[in-house]
Amino acid sequence: MPFPIEDLSRPFRRPSELRRLVEAVRAADDKDESLWVEWKSTLDLTSQPGLLHLVRQILGFANRDPEVAAQWCEGNAYLLVGVSPGQLQGVAGVDPQRLVQTLQPYLGSEITWTPEYVTVEGREVLVVEIGPPKPGDPIRFLLKDLFITKKTQTADGPKDKRHGYHHGTILIRRPGDTERADQHEREMLQRRLRAAGTRLHTVLVADPPRIEAAPRWTNCWLGFTERERERLLAARYEPPAAATDGAQPRGFSPLLPPAPWCPPIRAAGKSTRPRSRRIWNKCAETCAMPSPEI
């Protein structure tokens, strides 16, 4: 029987999508557990068996083959607690932050997984999303011993039996189950690790423009030169003021020399502004009228 949801190409993220996933699990068959989904009808999240189940499943999903995992939900996997085919029992919720802190000593902080609760028909269901494996990912293993004790009946009476995993155990997801990785699965994980650098992962981000508006210096400079030109030309034709202390006569502009057609300048054989007061006075008297060339 195929899984009740036909389109499994995209991950389930929105609350409405997670509710649809829960309802699909309830309508599924017991054999529909696959490489991307696992469910548990009920579980005490505060107990050691509950802790063992969560750690085992998350490690198994994190050690999948990237190419195989990409066939469903863009490589993401889902662990549901509180729902199973034909049953919707719900689960006693534990704060997600507390749940993450409880599992972190066993999983570390490099595995991407997110716990979230979704309410269906008044009952809370825990949905844990495990991020997709990628080429170059390290082999995920148990970071701390995790064992539980079960009582079993024997011919000699009830006995305690320990069940769990030692630090360094490598778990892997198989269709409908999660167990210790065998030799072939370890080799696959080594190939996944060595695949780092063989694929280029790029992210394009729009960068806001940083071009700043520059002041319009052209207009400022043209206005300045026009004002200076008018001021200097006006000062050039003003009659010189009497000066006896060696100061420059009024109207003298060191930036704008007399015109080359000034007769006193030509008579003195000079092409620049006059250097003596006598020639300047003659220039001022002669050039009182503007030249027809200007």
Side-chain angles (χ1 to χ4, degrees):
M1 173 181 176
F3 195 75
I5 299 178
E6 295 183 2
D7 185 9
L8 297 174
S9 60
R10 299 184 61 82
F12 300 90
R13 295 282 169 75
R14 299 186 179 92
S16 60
E17 296 173 340
L18 295 178
R19 283 193 294 270
R20 187 161 64 97
L21 177 61
V22 171
E23 293 169 354
V25 168
R26 184 169 60 169
D29 190 80
D30 290 332
K31 300 179 181 180
D32 284 339
E33 283 184 320
S34 180
L35 292 174
W36 69 275
V37 63
E38 164 79 15
W39 54 71
K40 193 77 172 174
S41 59
T42 184
L43 194 67
D44 184 359
L45 301 178
T46 61
S47 65
Q48 285 296 106
L51 177 64
L52 176 62
H53 182 78
L54 294 178
V55 169
R56 182 165 66 100
Q57 300 301 334
I58 293 174
L59 280 175
F61 282 126
N63 279 329
R64 293 174 299 157
D65 187 333
E67 293 185 0
V68 176
Q71 300 178 40
W72 304 278
C73 306
E74 297 180 0
N76 293 274
Y78 295 88
L79 169 61
L80 295 89
V81 179
V83 63
S84 61
Q87 300 183 52
L88 179 62
Q89 297 187 19
V91 64
V94 175
D95 182 71
Q97 184 63 29
R98 178 185 170 190
L99 194 61
V100 171
Q101 293 175 353
T102 303
L103 271 63
Q104 189 168 359
Y106 304 93
L107 299 175
S109 57
E110 294 184 0
I111 300 177
T112 303
W113 64 282
T114 306
E116 188 171 349
Y117 292 95
V118 58
T119 302
V120 178
E121 297 180 4
R123 295 189 173 129
E124 282 192 334
V125 177
L126 173 65
V127 180
V128 180
E129 180 183 20
I130 299 95
K134 300 181 294 297
D137 279 354
I139 299 174
R140 312 298 186 181
F141 56 86
L142 187 64
L143 300 180
K144 184 179 177 181
D145 289 352
L146 181 57
F147 286 91
I148 60 174
T149 301
K150 291 184 177 180
K151 287 189 176 295
T152 58
Q153 289 290 339
T154 64
D156 299 330
K159 287 187 177 181
D160 292 339
K161 182 179 180 180
R162 294 183 73 210
H163 171 69
Y165 306 99
H166 287 286
H167 167 247
T169 301
I170 301 174
L171 298 166
I172 197 164
R173 181 68 183 180
R174 297 170 184 165
D177 196 12
T178 300
E179 291 296 339
R180 290 181 176 90
D182 59 23
Q183 180 64 30
H184 297 290
E185 292 165 337
R186 289 171 181 265
E187 292 175 355
M188 180 276 294
L189 293 174
Q190 291 176 352
R191 290 193 300 270
R192 185 184 76 173
L193 174 62
R194 291 193 300 266
T198 59
R199 296 185 179 183
L200 180 62
H201 179 69
T202 59
V203 178
L204 300 180
V205 179
D207 193 15
R210 293 185 173 86
I211 301 177
E212 297 180 355
R216 306 185 66 176
W217 290 108
T218 304
N219 294 342
C220 297
W221 180 251
L222 290 176
F224 170 76
T225 54
E226 185 64 25
R227 290 191 300 271
E228 286 297 298
R229 177 177 179 276
E230 295 177 358
R231 184 183 67 82
L232 295 175
L233 288 176
R236 178 178 179 181
Y237 297 114
E238 291 181 3
T244 57
D245 56 355
Q248 294 176 350
R250 188 168 63 89
F252 177 78
S253 174
L255 300 177
L256 189 63
W261 45 262
C262 180
I265 295 300
R266 289 203 302 269
K270 298 180 181 294
S271 60
T272 59
R273 62 184 178 86
R275 298 294 180 180
S276 67
R277 188 160 306 283
R278 182 179 60 81
I279 297 178
W280 171 264
N281 292 335
K282 288 184 178 181
C283 178
E285 294 173 359
T286 307
C287 301
M289 299 298 293
S291 168
E293 296 179 9
I294 297 181

